[in-house]
Amino acid sequence: MILDEVRTLVAEGESERLEIKRTTAELNRALRTACGLLNCGITGHVLFGVTSAGRVAGQPVGAMTVEEIVQRLQNAFEPPPSIG
């Protein structure tokens, strides 16, 4: 997803298809949201690096953080979701 697409999604605001999180420190809450989306069969997005006011702030993440998120997603759900 490119930055313009992120901004377009964020401009629409949170909904049943979009959850925004300020940082990956909110990963547990984000996983609960992802679980809800998957259980309902809803295509949606959970975005990190967005303030509650809807400003795309970004968040620097290292390879270990990305790997942790991927592992948590793969281990939390059966079958593992598509990550993109």
Side-chain angles (χ1 to χ4, degrees):
M1 182 175 291
I2 61 172
L3 186 56
D4 286 340
E5 292 172 326
V6 170
R7 287 185 175 133
T8 299
L9 280 174
V10 171
E12 295 172 7
E14 283 191 303
S15 68
E16 65 181 20
R17 296 180 182 272
L18 176 65
E19 181 81 15
I20 59 173
K21 300 295 181 199
R22 176 70 177 107
T23 70
T24 54
E26 298 178 87
L27 183 56
N28 287 335
R29 285 191 231 160
L31 288 172
R32 284 195 295 268
T33 297
C35 182
L37 291 169
L38 291 165
N39 282 334
C40 293
I42 296 173
T43 299
H45 301 278
V46 178
L47 301 176
F48 293 98
V50 181
T51 68
S52 59
R55 184 174 69 81
V56 178
Q59 179 187 352
V61 294
M64 290 187 69
T65 301
V66 172
E67 182 62 28
E68 177 189 358
I69 292 169
V70 169
Q71 288 298 318
R72 300 258 323 258
L73 283 169
Q74 289 177 335
N75 293 331
F77 305 106
E78 184 59 44
S82 171
I83 302 168

